[in-house]
């Protein structure tokens, strides 16, 4: 009996199961509608996988998904959004080894260095999870107007944000630019690092299992310049984070973004390991000020 | 028995307008490099008020250089000293308030009632408010020692010439920036009088430079490589052009652009108060207000009652001499603007909306447009979509709060909106769904220096006023 079962275990090395990497759009995992893929290799040039080479149509589909998700996500309570961001950290923690491997291969890092990046990325979700229900108190509040009015300023999400993820930091950088966008109630269309898209595509699988509604984050892989152009010109995109663009592309996209006065976050040097400030939270917030009479007539007496 | 109003004109003797003015650069009035001048007229009479030097590219460059030179010492001053300069300016504005109100009415055409009771008190209040911030920037929430940006290039419109100047200059100076400001070509005078206030306040040379001129001067200022910050209030089209110009640079930019504000009246609203709010919303400053409530959304069940009250109220508005203290509606700012308003109103008629104005005699000289109401307007009509920037109100109807919100948000703009209802929860629910930067509930067109003002969507970005207004002028 025991002899038989030992015999059934193959002695030669096991052939691994390859993963077909797919986009993450509207909570689903489609291939690129164009049917195109491109080769992704590690830092030594060894083939890792074929990633989807997204098209303009994929970008437009992602915007539709992000717009559809905006109402419910921006309307969710800040507490609820914080819970879900924390849940993302939980899910990531459970798949830590997978991401350490993918980051190490993608960026040519040692296991230890990749692990530090992944740990920092997990902690970053926790950090932003705690911000969701605090940012309004930090940047909003009552204004002491010189008249019989009650008047309150509060931050609101801008809408659909196109995010060009940083090219070099394929995972910690990616998380650092996505988390603040959705923490405040925006929805995002993210273009992964062009040469190292695999951690981003795998993040989609984590997001899909983290109670994050489909469409809140949409992940595209491919040529940054090709996908970013239609997003920068898209009339239903409200803001664009140009982090992953070089100087020439950033200028071109900022000009295109002026067409519907998108909010633009220009590329700037960032140390992704350091704890961020709140600039990435406020970059995609609007301030709404609501006025109402108080019914007070001051010295002349009460009017209510 | 007749209750006709006797004339009650404000005297213009308090203002001494010189026959000509120069550019104000580095503390001196100077001619334009190419000697060009333009005339500024009073829109209510077409009388020529003064001849003003017209800034060109060389003048803009000179002004930016002066501002750059002044930046070193100005930004190094302790905040408490900068504060005192701003308090001085605020006080002098108060002291010369009547003079400036009359001047503004002459140059802009708006009623003295508004310049005296709205513009000038707000101008002083803005300088007082930001004066108090100058020595407290460490506590403003932008880090321990936020730095100024440098030279601010500011381009302002003609609808609130001195108030827009205050909105731009007060926070810029409080945060330690120096300023080159271009007033609009039809209303340069109050900015030039402000130059004199800077002189009286002893403000160091070059900290504030005033360069009247046309769009080309504004474009040169925005494009100048040594300008660190661009602030613009004006049309959305120009705002987009500015956004393209600063693309790829490190210039920080804020834009306050057009609007097509929805004023939503629910069936439980106090009708008389709502009518007053509608009038304030669209006829304040002849409707030449970016946050004007130019789209009236009335719940269908009260449409007849509301329109009847509104028409009755409009019939009591007095249009005429802006210097008369009883005047409600003054002149349109320029012949060009009058042409634009006239064309859009004619298009409204051509597209099938029903036009109504109260019996209203227009003065024979000057630029005038009677208060106008369009009913039977649909969302497809041009007058429901395009900003008219004049005393023209388009009336649409709705049945449910959801429909009101959908119609209110159905615009490229997102600056202001109004909500009229007695139900508190409805105010909060509707306010949270409106995509606009300023929501007035049971009131309209209220402004205060402590309150952030600015738009969503194509109404621009950045906020002016309040703590938020500081951010635009700080390196944060």
């Amino acid at each position: 009996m025991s002899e038989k079962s030992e015999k059934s275990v193959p002695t030669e090395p096991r052939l691994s199961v390859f993963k077909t990497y797919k986009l993450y759009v509207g909570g689903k995992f489609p291939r690129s509608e164009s049917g195109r893929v491109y080769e992704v290799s590690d830092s030594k040039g060894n083939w890792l996988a074929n990633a989807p080479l997204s098209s303009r149509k994929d970008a437009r589909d992602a915007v539709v998904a992000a717009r559809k998700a905006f109402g419910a996500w921006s309307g969710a309570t800040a507490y609820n959004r914080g819970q879900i961001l924390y849940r993302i950290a939980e899910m990531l923690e459970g798949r830590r080894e997978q991401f350490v491997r993918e980051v190490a291969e993608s960026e040519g890092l040692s296991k230890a260095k990749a692990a530090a990046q992944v740990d920092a990325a997990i902690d970053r979700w926790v950090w932003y999870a705690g911000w969701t229900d605090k940012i309004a108190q930090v940047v909003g509040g009552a204004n002491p107007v010189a008249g019989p009015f009650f008047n309150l300023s509060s931050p609101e999400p801008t809408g659909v944000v196109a995010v060009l993820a940083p090219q070099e930091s394929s995972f910690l950088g990616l998380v650092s630019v996505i988390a603040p966008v959705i923490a405040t109630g925006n929805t995002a269309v993210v273009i992964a690092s062009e040469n190292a898209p695999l951690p981003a595509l795998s993040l989609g699988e984590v997001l899909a299992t983290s109670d994050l509604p489909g469409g809140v984050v949409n992940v595209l892989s491919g040529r940054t310049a090709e996908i970013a152009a239609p997003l920068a010109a898209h009339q239903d995109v409200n803001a664009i984070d140009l982090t992953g663009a070089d100087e020439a592309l950033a200028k071109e996209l900022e000009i295109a973004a002026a067409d519907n006065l998108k909010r633009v976050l220009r590329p700037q040097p960032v140390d992704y390991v350091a704890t961020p400030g709140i600039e990435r939270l406020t970059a995609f917030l609007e301030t709404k000020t609501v006025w109402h009479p108080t019914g007070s007539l001051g010295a002349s007496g009460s009017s209510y | 028995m007749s209750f006709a109003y006797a004339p009650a004109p404000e005297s213009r003797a308090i203002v001494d307008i010189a026959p000509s003015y120069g550019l104000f650069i580095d503390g001196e009035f100077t001619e334009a490099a190419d000697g060009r001048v333009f005339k500024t007229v009073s829109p209510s009479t077409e009388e020529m008020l003064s001849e003003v030097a017209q800034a060109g590219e060389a003048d803009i460059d000179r002004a930016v250089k002066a501002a750059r030179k002044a930046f070193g010492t100005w930004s190094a001053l302790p905040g408490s000293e900068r504060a005192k300069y701003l308090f001085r300016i605020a006080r002098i504005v108060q002291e010369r308030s009547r003079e400036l109100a009359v001047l503004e009415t002459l140059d802009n055409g708006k009623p003295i009632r508004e310049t005296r009771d709205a513009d000038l008190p707000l101008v002083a209040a803005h300088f007082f408010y930001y004066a108090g911030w100058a020595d407290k920037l460490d506590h403003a929430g932008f880090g321990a020692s936020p730095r100024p940006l440098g030279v601010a290039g500011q381009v302002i419109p003609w609808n609130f010439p001195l108030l827009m100047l205050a909105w731009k200059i007060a926070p810029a100076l409080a945060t330690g920036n120096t300023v080159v400001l271009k007033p609009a070509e039809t209303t340069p005078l109050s900015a030039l009088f402000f130059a004199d206030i800077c002189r009286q306040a002893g403000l160091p040379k070059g900290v504030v430079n005033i360069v009247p001129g046309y769009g080309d001067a504004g474009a040169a200022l925005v494009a100048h490589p040594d300008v660190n910050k661009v602030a613009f209030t004006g049309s959305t089209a120009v705002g987009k052009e500015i956004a393209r110009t600063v693309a790829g640079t490190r210039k920080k930019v804020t834009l306050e652009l057009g609007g097509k504000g929805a004023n939503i009246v629910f069936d439980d609203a106090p009708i008389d108060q709502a009518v007053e709010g509608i009038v304030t919303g669209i006829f304040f400053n002849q409707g030449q207000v970016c946050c004007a409530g130019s789209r009236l959304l009335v719940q269908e069940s009260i449409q007849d009652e509301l329109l009847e009250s509104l028409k009755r109220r409009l019939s009591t508005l007095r249009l005429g001499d802006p210097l008369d203290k009883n005047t409600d509606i003054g002149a349109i700012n320029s012949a060009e603007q009058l042409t634009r308003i006239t064309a859009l109103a004619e298009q409204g008629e051509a597209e099938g909306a029903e036009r109504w104005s109260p019996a209203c005699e227009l003065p024979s000289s000057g630029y005038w447009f009677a208060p106008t109401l369009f009913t039977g307007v649909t969302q497809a009509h041009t007058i429901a979509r395009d900003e008219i920037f004049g005393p023209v109100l388009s009336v649409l109807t709705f049945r449910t709060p959801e429909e009101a919100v959908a119609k209110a948000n159905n615009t490229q703009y997102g600056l202001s909106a109004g909500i009229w209802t007695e139900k508190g929860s409805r105010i909060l629910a509707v306010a949270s769904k409106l995509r606009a930067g300023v929501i007035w509930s049971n009131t309209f067109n209220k402004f205060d220096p402590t309150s952030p003002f600015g738009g969503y969507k194509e109404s621009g970005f950045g906020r002016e006023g309040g703590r938020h207004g500081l951010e635009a002028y700080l390196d944060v």
Side-chain angles (χ1 to χ4, degrees):
Chain A
M1 191 77 180
S2 65
E3 267 182 0
K4 249 188 176 175
S5 65
E6 271 167 24
K7 260 190 180 170
S8 71
V9 176
T11 47
E12 56 274 29
R14 175 181 168 271
L15 194 64
S16 66
V17 178
F18 276 166
K19 172 167 153 187
T20 297
Y21 284 88
K22 296 185 186 177
L23 305 176
Y24 180 53
V25 175
K28 295 189 164 64
F29 297 94
R31 293 180 167 88
S32 168
E33 65 78 36
S34 65
R36 303 181 302 176
V37 293
Y38 70 116
E39 282 191 24
V40 178
S41 31
D42 67 13
S43 54
K44 297 186 191 79
N46 300 315
W47 182 87
L48 287 173
N50 292 325
L53 186 62
S54 302
S55 64
R56 296 173 157 262
K57 177 70 163 70
D58 291 318
R60 289 200 296 269
D61 289 348
V63 173
V64 170
R67 174 60 62 199
K68 199 172 161 202
F70 178 70
W73 182 243
S74 61
T77 63
Y79 178 63
N80 184 222
R81 285 202 303 270
Q83 296 273 302
I84 291 174
L85 260 66
Y86 183 77
R87 178 86 176 150
I88 295 171
E90 288 179 359
M91 294 293 105
L92 262 181
E93 186 82 42
R95 298 171 69 160
R96 183 173 172 278
E97 293 315 311
Q98 176 197 339
F99 281 93
V100 170
R101 193 185 69 243
E102 285 184 339
V103 170
E105 286 171 348
S106 294
E107 299 182 29
L109 298 175
S110 67
K111 262 267 160 61
K113 281 189 176 158
Q117 297 268 316
V118 173
D119 290 346
I122 295 170
D123 293 353
R124 189 126 310 156
W125 282 112
V126 176
W127 195 75
Y128 279 114
W131 263 119
T132 59
D133 53 3
K134 294 167 193 70
I135 190 70
Q137 288 170 316
V138 172
V139 301
N143 307 305
V145 295
F149 296 96
F150 170 73
N151 143 334
L152 203 64
S153 290
S154 41
E156 290 191 343
T158 301
V160 173
V161 182
V163 179
L164 280 59
Q167 299 297 341
E168 304 307 324
S169 186
S170 67
F171 192 60
L172 176 56
L174 171 85
V175 168
S176 301
V177 295
I178 299 177
V181 167
I182 64 168
T184 48
N186 296 290
T187 56
V189 175
V190 183
I191 306 175
S193 164
E194 185 166 323
N195 292 321
L198 302 186
L201 296 174
S202 290
L203 180 68
E205 297 159 21
V206 170
L207 300 177
T209 52
S210 303
D211 305 330
L212 188 75
V216 172
V217 173
N218 304 276
V219 183
L220 304 173
S221 59
R223 306 285 172 234
T224 299
E226 183 189 351
I227 312 168
L231 291 175
H234 201 298
Q235 295 299 303
D236 204 29
V237 171
N238 304 98
I240 187 163
D241 176 351
L242 297 176
T243 298
D246 62 28
E247 204 178 313
L249 178 62
K251 180 174 179 176
E252 187 187 307
L253 296 175
E254 188 174 344
I255 290 171
D259 206 44
N260 71 336
L261 292 164
K262 285 181 188 68
R263 281 59 177 143
V264 174
L265 185 63
R266 293 176 179 147
Q268 53 215 305
V270 184
D271 173 9
Y272 289 110
V273 177
T275 304
I278 61 169
E279 297 82 25
R280 285 187 174 273
L281 289 165
T282 55
F284 304 112
L285 286 174
E286 298 289 345
T287 297
K288 177 184 278 178
T289 302
V290 180
W291 294 63
H292 195 277
T294 58
S296 153
L297 291 180
S300 63
S302 161
S303 74
Y304 57 86
Chain B
M1 194 187 294
S2 162
F3 288 105
Y5 282 81
E10 174 69 87
S11 166
R12 61 181 285 181
I14 193 169
V15 187
D16 185 12
I17 302 175
S20 71
Y21 286 93
L23 312 168
F24 184 68
I25 296 175
D26 205 17
E28 311 285 342
F29 282 104
T30 77
E31 285 181 22
D34 56 11
R36 278 191 301 177
V37 294
F38 66 98
K39 293 175 171 50
T40 187
V41 302
S42 183
S44 61
T45 58
E46 297 174 61
E47 166 203 0
M48 206 264 275
L49 294 172
S50 189
E51 218 169 54
V52 177
Q54 183 184 336
E57 213 171 318
D59 305 300
I60 296 294
D61 186 56
R62 201 151 49 99
V64 171
K65 283 201 170 82
R68 172 62 59 198
K69 200 175 78 190
F71 174 67
T73 46
W74 179 250
S75 60
L77 271 188
S80 53
E81 293 298 299
R82 287 204 308 273
K84 284 191 280 183
Y85 281 114
L86 286 168
F87 278 122
R88 281 186 183 184
I89 291 172
R91 275 288 188 234
I92 297 172
V93 166
Q94 284 184 321
E95 287 161 10
R96 298 178 62 173
S97 165
R98 183 169 165 196
E99 173 196 2
L100 293 166
V102 172
L103 175 73
E104 196 82 313
T105 286
L106 283 170
D107 203 18
N108 171 280
K110 63 169 70 182
I112 185 77
R113 189 169 65 81
E114 291 179 8
T115 53
R116 182 193 62 196
D117 299 346
D119 296 51
L120 263 299
L122 278 168
V123 169
H126 271 273
F127 280 102
F128 276 115
Y129 177 75
Y130 280 110
W133 267 125
D135 55 358
K136 299 170 192 68
L137 295 174
D138 295 357
H139 303 284
F142 303 111
S145 49
R147 303 289 308 149
L149 296 166
V151 174
Q154 309 181 318
V155 180
I156 59 169
W158 44 259
N159 57 344
F160 294 90
L162 197 57
L163 182 58
M164 291 300 104
L165 173 146
W167 281 27
K168 297 280 184 292
I169 291 186
L173 297 192
T175 46
N177 299 274
T178 53
V179 164
V180 178
L181 178 132
K182 189 200 86 71
E185 67 267 22
T186 59
T187 54
L189 293 182
S190 52
L192 294 165
F193 273 57
F194 181 79
D196 190 52
I197 291 174
C198 294
R199 182 191 59 78
Q200 288 187 330
L203 196 71
K205 286 172 193 265
V207 171
V208 168
N209 304 276
I210 309 281
V211 284
Y214 284 74
D216 62 319
L221 180 56
V222 168
H224 196 290
D226 205 28
V227 162
N228 306 98
K229 152 80 191 176
V230 171
F232 172 73
T233 295
S235 75
T236 292
V238 175
K240 289 179 181 180
E241 201 46 53
I242 291 173
R244 286 181 202 110
T245 303
V246 301
T249 71
R250 299 182 57 119
K251 287 176 190 172
K252 202 161 174 171
V253 61
T254 44
L255 304 171
E256 297 289 355
L257 310 175
K260 192 71 187 172
N263 207 355
I264 307 169
V265 184
F266 287 98
D267 58 6
D268 65 340
I271 293 285
D272 290 345
Q273 283 176 40
V275 165
E276 288 307 312
I278 293 162
V279 169
T280 306
I282 185 61
F283 299 115
F284 179 61
N285 198 17
Q286 294 71 248
Q288 302 168 129
V289 184
C290 52
C291 53
S294 54
R295 286 184 298 153
L296 178 63
L297 296 179
V298 192
Q299 197 149 20
E300 202 176 76
S301 51
I302 57 160
Q303 181 186 205
D304 294 345
E305 183 190 358
L306 183 85
L307 283 178
E308 194 189 321
S309 295
L310 184 59
K311 286 179 176 174
R312 199 185 317 127
R313 178 67 180 88
L314 292 191
S315 303
T316 67
L317 290 176
R318 291 183 298 276
L319 176 147
D321 179 8
L323 275 176
D324 191 310
K325 293 167 196 161
N326 290 327
T327 291
D328 297 303
I329 309 252
I332 300 301
N333 183 249
S334 64
E336 189 192 359
Q337 183 59 20
L338 180 60
T339 306
R340 200 172 303 150
I341 298 169
T342 307
L344 278 162
E346 279 165 6
Q347 193 167 351
E349 267 184 298
E351 289 177 13
E354 194 177 324
R355 179 175 182 164
W356 181 89
S357 286
C360 183
E361 201 179 317
L362 301 183
S364 53
S365 65
Y367 318 125
W368 302 90
F369 198 88
T372 298
L373 200 67
F374 276 103
T375 51
V377 179
T378 75
Q379 297 181 87
H381 284 135
T382 306
I383 51 169
R385 293 198 319 267
D386 289 9
E387 186 179 34
I388 299 177
F389 224 66
V392 180
L393 180 66
S394 299
V395 185
L396 297 90
T397 61
F398 68 89
R399 288 185 181 176
T400 64
E402 290 71 26
E403 189 187 348
V405 167
K407 283 185 169 168
N409 285 339
N410 184 22
T411 166
Q412 71 185 102
Y413 299 111
L415 188 49
S416 71
I419 305 167
W420 297 84
T421 171
E422 287 287 60
K423 195 171 170 184
S425 58
R426 185 181 285 150
I427 288 173
L428 296 176
V430 171
S432 74
K433 286 185 187 126
L434 292 173
R435 302 290 293 164
V438 187
I439 314 282
W440 287 290
S441 330
N442 292 335
T443 183
F444 211 95
N445 266 347
K446 291 289 181 292
F447 307 93
D448 191 89
T450 67
S451 300
F453 178 95
Y456 284 40
K457 301 198 273 188
E458 294 190 23
S459 289
F461 36 78
R463 292 293 179 271
E464 292 183 295
R467 188 194 71 88
H468 295 73
L470 293 168
E471 185 177 356
Y473 291 94
L474 291 171
D475 184 11
V476 291

